């Protein structure tokens, strides 16, 4: 990845959807964004492995408070699974652990469709040992690289959509939409296991993260800083919004309990909403609570 020059320090707030290239880690992009924008207040929502490309959300300033909500959004991927070889990391960058010769006609359409149907119905998934999941404060991948891969517990996951795009004797291309916590590398491992052959993830591109699509993401690195999406609009996209009255905005900024008359429109039932001031600024995240409305997370004036 090209090295980015340090920009003069400035207050930056918002969400920037970038098209991550193959090679750097998600943390590398965060470090580059810190240099480019001249601020330490940068994070990301949804790690992509070095091999993967596509939508990565960079969060600046007050937008880092939205991390947990943006992480919870569904993700859409285009993935290539290769058969005949498995690796310890479950992708093309890992050490080969098993190989097998495959006849040109080894993959029967009926067996493949049954394996894909089983994945569509999946309720739990075993994460890869080479992952950022922490055990006693240590990422699992560090233990795995020391030769002591941890035994991780299965996690609840959900596949919203899984479509076959193309297939050959040794490769399969699919498009899938999944909930938070799903590992496409684990899918590549499990698909091969169901078909009785070694397999690994050979290519991965994230096409969308929530409402942020790769078609709208900027190539990385940009030649100069690009203005991120305002925090209020990012919150509206992932949570929906409710407009406050001027008095309601003042009360919410103080963290006080609100009443129905503090909203200019429909505040929502029990759902968490982005509460916006009359000028469109994000004041807080909040929801109905008993006979009133409670602030969950406040935001500074922008």
């Amino acid at each position: 990845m090209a090295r980015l020059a340090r920009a003069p320090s400035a207050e930056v707030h918002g969400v920037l959807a970038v098209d991550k290239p193959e090679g750097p880690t998600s943390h590398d992009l965060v470090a580059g964004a810190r240099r480019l924008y001249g601020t330490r207040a940068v994070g990301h929502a949804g790690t992509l492995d070095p091999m993967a490309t596509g939508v990565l959300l960079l969060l600046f300033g007050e937008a880092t408070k939205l991390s947990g909500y943006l992480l919870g959004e569904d993700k859409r991927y285009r993935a290539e699974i290769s058969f005949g070889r498995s690796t310890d990391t479950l992708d093309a960058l890992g050490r080969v652990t098993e190989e097998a010769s495959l006849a040109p006609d080894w993959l029967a359409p009926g067996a493949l469709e049954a394996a894909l149907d089983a994945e569509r119905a999946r309720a739990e998934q075993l994460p890869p040992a080479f992952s950022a999941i922490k055990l006693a404060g240590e990422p699992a991948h560090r233990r795995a690289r020391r030769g002591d891969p941890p035994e991780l517990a299965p996690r609840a996951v959900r596949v919203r959509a899984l479509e076959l795009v193309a297939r050959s004797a040794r490769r399969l291309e699919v498009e899938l939409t999944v909930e938070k916590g799903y590992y496409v590398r684990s899918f590549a491992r499990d698909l091969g296991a169901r078909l009785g052959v070694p397999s690994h993830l050979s290519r991965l591109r994230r096409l969308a993260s929530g409402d942020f699509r790769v078609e709208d993401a900027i190539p990385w690195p940009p030649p100069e800083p690009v203005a991120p999406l305002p925090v209020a609009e990012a919150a509206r996209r992932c949570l929906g919004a409710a407009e406050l009255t001027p008095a309601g905005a003042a009360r919410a900024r103080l963290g006080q309990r609100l009443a129905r008359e503090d909203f200019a429109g429909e505040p929502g039932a029990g759902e968490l909403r982005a509460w916006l001031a009359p000028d469109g600024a994000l004041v807080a995240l909040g929801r109905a609570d008993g006979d009133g409305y409670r602030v969950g997370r406040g935001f500074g004036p922008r």
Side-chain angles (χ1 to χ4, degrees), residues 241-243 260 263 265-273 275 286-289 292-293:
E243 184 180 344
R260 177 63 184 84
F263 294 87
E266 175 56 48
E271 313 93 350
L272 190 69
R273 287 283 186 265
W275 290 353
R287 59 165 30 107
D289 180 32
Y293 299 86

Side-chain angles (χ1 to χ4, degrees), residues 2-263:
R3 184 166 181 81
L4 303 176
R6 180 180 293 276
S9 181
E11 199 169 284
V12 185
H13 303 274
V15 176
L16 188 66
V18 303
D19 187 351
K20 177 192 170 299
E22 184 175 352
T25 66
S26 299
H27 181 73
D28 289 336
L29 266 67
V30 168
R34 287 170 175 166
R35 291 191 296 271
L36 182 64
Y37 286 82
T39 176
R40 295 290 302 170
V42 185
H44 69 80
T47 300
L48 281 174
D49 294 331
M51 187 190 78
T53 68
V55 178
L56 182 70
L57 301 182
L58 295 179
L59 315 180
F60 295 85
E62 287 286 283
T64 58
K65 297 178 181 178
L66 296 174
S67 175
Y69 310 104
L70 292 168
L71 279 170
E73 297 282 275
D74 289 352
K75 311 292 190 299
R76 182 161 56 92
Y77 296 96
R78 178 70 66 87
E80 179 188 80
I81 294 91
S82 291
F83 301 113
R85 176 180 298 168
S86 59
T87 70
D88 57 354
T89 59
L90 311 185
D91 62 20
L93 301 181
R95 178 180 58 84
V96 175
T97 56
E98 184 181 358
E99 289 188 280
S101 298
L102 303 176
D105 59 349
W106 76 273
L107 183 53
L112 174 59
E113 192 54 39
L116 294 178
D117 279 343
E119 191 65 26
R120 293 182 183 109
R122 178 183 290 282
E124 286 188 332
Q125 185 189 63
L126 183 65
F130 285 81
S131 67
I133 295 172
K134 290 187 176 180
L135 299 170
E138 182 181 31
H141 65 79
R142 290 186 184 172
R143 286 183 51 177
R145 294 187 194 286
R146 292 200 304 265
D148 179 29
E151 292 186 10
L152 300 175
R155 292 188 163 195
V157 295
R158 184 178 178 186
V159 178
R160 294 196 179 275
L162 172 57
E163 299 299 329
L164 177 63
V165 175
R167 56 160 292 188
S168 66
R170 296 190 65 87
R171 289 181 178 82
L172 197 73
E173 191 172 354
V174 299
E175 190 169 304
L176 64 167
T177 301
V178 296
E179 287 188 348
K180 173 187 176 183
Y182 185 94
Y183 283 88
V184 185
R185 285 184 289 137
S186 290
F187 163 56
R189 172 199 64 202
D190 296 342
L191 183 64
R194 289 191 180 109
L195 296 171
V197 298
S199 60
H200 68 276
L201 181 67
S202 48
R203 187 174 295 127
L204 182 66
R205 182 160 178 77
R206 184 184 285 161
L207 303 177
S209 179
D211 288 336
F212 295 89
R213 302 179 305 165
V214 73
E215 295 87 351
D216 304 319
I218 66 165
W220 189 265
E224 59 185 24
V226 176
L229 185 73
V231 181
E233 179 57 30
R236 183 195 294 271
R237 283 197 187 189
C238 67
L239 294 172
E243 184 180 344
L244 299 166
T245 65
R251 289 171 59 83
R253 286 194 174 101
L254 295 174
Q256 296 176 349
R257 191 174 179 81
L258 272 61
R260 177 63 184 84
E261 56 266 27
D262 289 314
F263 294 87

